[in-house]
């Protein structure tokens, strides 16, 4: 054990580590249209370049893989451990209250800013763990590599690109979840429903509905435009929907049309119960209102019946299921668009190991068809499972227990990380159990002490696995 040396090291270097995290947070890095030499746009390329500059200034070997990923190597020794982190972020809304998304601030022991927890903070903590091992002069016989990606939030094409060129390390962890160790990541189905219909001009009618912007983010807002109904007529329905859904509804009349806006709370689609879905709440409202009967309105009501507000387990869709090691299925209806001649909606379902085409996809297809909706032709993706009884996982748990004083155990999550398709990859940190970082939502934060705890723990793990 090198615990006291590690503690002393981060006592001296914590301020610089936090400053480096803030430097990366200030660079907006959500995915943008491809540019020459920048597959995910300027922001992701710029933040990757800056992070690699940090590592180079520390004396590490770096390589930029065409702005898909960058790598930081301890040395030229045989590969042993990869740490997979990402520098891209999800888009931001306009409802941040503590600070602006790209103006990091530390308040009450929390570092606020987009990417502070997901995943720039943990990425820099992992980099500083490598720096601590080197600066403390602790000899390693095998290499540790930090891999920094730029497309984790939109499909992980960056990591696919990397692994087409480099082999997996014998052991890999991603500090993009929580402690202790996540050895199971649910499989899932990201799909949707659609329907076409003829325009019906009978009033009152719905002209448009729009909500959600990303399939793995619970939508915090939705908007519809109605014709042939006044705000006074709609007010009572909105008040009732507000009571049943917890959403806030606002009404605006202009040029003979009524706009209704719904405000909820965003969240990661892997934990839809932690948010308040503005799209499903809006559908609940509209389905209860006295619109003229039409094929379009009937299809909208069918979507609300298939994905009712507050049903995070797929009960209405007939796919609710659970197993002992990976837990319950979750289903989040996250994007919806409706017009006078058609509608589309997309959902993100995280499925336990027991789920398959027969008890999930086929059931949804039949249920949708019975309501006059067509399910998108998408394939399920498999669950990921690394046995808890491996030397790698046992080492991670032992180090965690020594540094935290808490019980080390393996967990299953609905979220997918970079390790989902790796043979011996797990998620490890960087938040402690019970911490809600508001990931993918407004006022995202990382607990400063948890970032430092992660850096110390990663340092010990590198020593244990690579010396």
């Amino acid at each position: 054990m090198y615990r006291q040396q590690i503690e002393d090291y981060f006592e001296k270097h914590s301020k610089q580590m936090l400053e480096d995290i803030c430097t990366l947070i200030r660079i907006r890095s959500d995915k943008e249209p491809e540019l020459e030499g920048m597959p995910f746009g300027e922001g992701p390329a710029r933040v990757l370049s800056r992070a690699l500059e940090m590592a180079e200034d520390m004396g590490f070997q770096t390589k930029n893989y065409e702005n898909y990923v960058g790598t930081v190597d301890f040395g030229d020794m045989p590969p042993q451990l990869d740490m997979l982190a990402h520098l891209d972020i999800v888009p931001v809304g306009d409802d941040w209250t503590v600070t602006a998304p790209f103006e990091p601030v530390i308040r009450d022991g929390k570092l606020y800013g987009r990417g502070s927890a997901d995943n720039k903070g943990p990425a820099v903590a992992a980099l500083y763990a490598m720096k601590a091992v080197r600066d403390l002069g602790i000899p390693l016989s095998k290499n540790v590599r930090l891999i920094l990606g730029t497309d984790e939030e939109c499909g992980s094409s960056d990591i696919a690109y990397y692994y087409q060129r480099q082999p997996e390390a014998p052991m890999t962890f991603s500090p993009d979840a929580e402690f202790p160790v996540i050895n199971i990541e649910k499989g899932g189905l990201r799909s949707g429903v659609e329907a076409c219909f003829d325009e019906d001009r009978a009033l009152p009618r719905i002209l448009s509905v729009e909500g959600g912007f990303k399939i793995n983010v619970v939508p915090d807002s939705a908007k519809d435009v109605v014709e042939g109904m006044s705000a006074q007529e709609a007010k009572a329905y909105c008040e009732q929907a507000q009571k049943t859904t917890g959403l806030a509804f606002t009404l605006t009349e202009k040029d003979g049309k009524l706009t209704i806006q719904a405000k909820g709370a965003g969240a990661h689609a892997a934990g839809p119960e932690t948010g308040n879905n503005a799209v499903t709440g809006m559908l609940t409202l509209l389905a209860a209102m006295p619109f003229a009967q039409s094929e379009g309105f009937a299809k909208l009501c069918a979507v609300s019946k298939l994905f009712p507000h507050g049903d995070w387990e797929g009960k209405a869709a007939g796919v609710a299921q659970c197993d002992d090691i990976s837990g319950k299925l979750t289903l989040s209806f996250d994007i919806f668009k409706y017009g006078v001649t058609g509608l589309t909606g997309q959902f993100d379902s995280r499925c336990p190991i027991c789920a398959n085409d027969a008890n999930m996809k086929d059931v949804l297809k039949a249920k949708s068809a019975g309501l006059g909706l067509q399910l998108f032709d998408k394939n399920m993706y498999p669950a990921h499972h690394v046995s808890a009884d491996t030397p790698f996982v046992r080492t991670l748990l032992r180090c965690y227990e020594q540094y935290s004083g808490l019980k080390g155990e393996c967990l299953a999550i609905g979220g997918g990380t970079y390790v989902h398709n790796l043979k011996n990859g797990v998620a490890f940190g960087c938040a402690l159990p019970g911490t809600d970082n508001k990931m993918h939502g407004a006022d995202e934060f990382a607990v400063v002490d948890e970032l430092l705890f992660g850096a110390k723990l990663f340092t010990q793990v590198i020593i244990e696995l690579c010396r």
Side-chain angles (χ1 to χ4, degrees):
M1 286 286 287
Y2 294 86
R3 181 163 185 173
Q4 192 56 55
Q5 291 173 261
I6 294 170
E7 294 281 354
D8 293 343
Y9 182 86
F10 282 100
E11 180 71 24
K12 297 176 182 177
H13 294 86
S14 60
K15 182 179 179 180
Q16 185 60 53
M17 188 183 95
L18 294 172
E19 288 177 355
D20 283 344
I21 295 171
C22 290
T23 294
L24 299 187
I25 290 174
R26 292 187 185 99
I27 302 173
R28 181 167 186 161
S29 55
D30 48 329
K31 189 173 185 178
E32 299 172 307
E34 180 178 0
L35 300 172
E36 184 177 355
M38 301 178 183
F40 312 116
E42 181 180 356
R46 191 156 62 93
V47 75
L48 178 61
S49 176
R50 184 66 187 91
L52 293 178
E53 285 177 8
M54 286 181 185
E56 289 169 2
D57 290 343
M58 294 175 183
F60 292 116
Q61 304 170 25
T62 68
K63 182 173 180 178
N64 188 328
Y65 287 78
E66 292 76 41
N67 281 322
Y68 283 84
V69 304
T71 56
V72 181
D73 283 293
F74 195 91
D76 295 324
M77 300 162 287
Q80 174 75 342
L81 174 66
D82 281 350
M83 300 185 293
L84 277 176
H86 69 89
L87 302 174
D88 60 307
I89 57 170
V90 296
V92 298
D94 58 3
D95 51 354
W96 285 60
T97 61
V98 178
T99 186
F102 308 109
E103 297 176 10
V105 64
I106 296 176
R107 185 175 299 172
D108 299 326
K110 299 174 180 177
L111 172 57
Y112 289 89
R114 177 60 92 225
S116 56
D118 185 25
N119 186 229
K120 295 176 180 179
V124 174
L127 175 61
Y128 267 77
M130 295 174 64
K131 185 176 186 295
V133 174
R134 194 202 58 191
D135 290 354
L136 291 172
I138 300 169
L140 301 183
S141 63
K142 295 182 180 179
N143 188 48
V144 55
R145 169 177 287 184
L146 175 60
I147 302 172
L148 300 169
T150 56
D151 188 40
E152 192 274 345
E153 299 291 1
C154 295
S156 298
S157 63
D158 52 343
I159 290 299
Y161 182 90
Y162 172 78
Y163 283 118
Q164 290 171 359
R165 290 153 179 80
Q166 293 292 332
E168 295 179 29
M171 305 172 185
T172 304
F173 76 76
S174 177
D176 189 20
E178 63 184 45
F179 293 116
V181 171
I182 293 168
N183 70 322
I184 296 174
E185 296 181 3
K186 293 178 182 178
L189 177 64
R190 293 190 178 106
S191 187
V193 293
E194 61 185 351
C196 296
F197 38 83
D198 293 330
E199 181 176 1
D200 192 321
R201 296 182 178 273
L203 300 179
R205 66 171 180 162
I206 303 168
L207 295 178
S208 66
V209 185
E210 187 167 352
F213 59 89
K214 201 164 183 294
I215 197 169
N216 67 341
V217 178
V218 175
D220 63 358
S221 63
K223 180 176 75 172
D224 71 76
V225 179
V226 171
E227 184 180 27
M229 183 180 294
S230 69
Q232 186 61 36
E233 292 173 296
K235 183 179 178 182
Y237 294 98
C238 290
E239 290 175 347
Q240 181 58 37
Q242 186 161 329
K243 292 178 182 177
T244 58
T245 66
L247 300 176
F249 295 95
T250 58
L251 298 91
T252 306
E253 282 186 276
K254 185 177 181 181
D255 299 328
K257 296 182 176 61
L258 173 65
T259 297
I260 305 175
Q261 293 180 299
K263 187 63 178 176
H268 196 296
E273 71 282 357
T274 65
N276 193 0
N277 193 315
V279 164
T280 56
M282 178 67 85
L283 292 176
T284 296
L285 166 66
L286 295 175
M289 294 175 74
F291 292 105
Q293 294 303 308
S294 67
E295 186 182 4
F297 181 55
K299 299 293 189 188
L300 181 145
C301 292
V303 174
S304 184
K305 185 176 181 180
L306 187 62
F307 306 109
H309 188 71
D311 179 8
W312 307 296
E313 298 177 6
K315 293 178 180 177
V319 295
Q321 55 192 291
C322 179
D323 62 39
D324 291 339
I325 63 172
S326 55
K328 293 181 179 180
L329 177 145
T330 62
L331 192 153
S332 184
F333 189 67
D334 294 329
I335 300 176
F336 184 68
K337 291 185 178 181
Y338 175 95
V340 294
T341 60
L343 64 82
T344 61
Q346 298 179 55
F347 64 85
D348 185 342
S349 182
R350 311 296 171 104
C351 303
I353 293 173
C354 63
N356 53 45
D357 282 349
N359 62 26
M360 172 59 182
K361 182 178 176 180
D362 294 350
V363 172
L364 263 171
K365 185 176 182 179
K367 196 83 170 181
S368 299
L371 292 168
L373 305 168
Q374 182 175 347
L375 186 73
F376 295 170
D377 186 19
K378 300 287 187 179
N379 293 324
M380 295 184 68
Y381 60 91
H384 172 68
H385 183 200
V386 174
S387 173
D389 190 31
T390 63
F392 174 43
V393 173
R394 289 200 302 267
T395 298
L396 296 180
L397 291 174
R398 174 170 49 80
C399 291
Y400 172 78
E401 289 182 341
Q402 290 170 344
Y403 271 72
S404 69
L406 302 173
K407 180 184 178 182
E409 59 183 345
C410 288
L411 306 173
I413 62 168
T417 72
Y418 270 150
V419 303
H420 195 89
N421 297 312
L422 301 185
K423 182 178 179 180
N424 198 26
V426 300
F428 185 56
C430 203
L432 285 169
T435 298
D436 178 5
N437 299 109
K438 297 186 178 180
M439 202 175 291
H440 289 197
D443 295 328
E444 175 189 345
F445 68 87
V447 177
V448 170
D449 285 346
E450 292 183 9
L451 289 172
L452 291 170
F453 170 80
K456 297 170 188 176
L457 181 54
F458 299 156
T459 304
Q460 186 67 46
V461 165
I462 291 170
I463 296 168
E464 293 281 333
L465 296 176
C466 300
R467 64 183 173 184

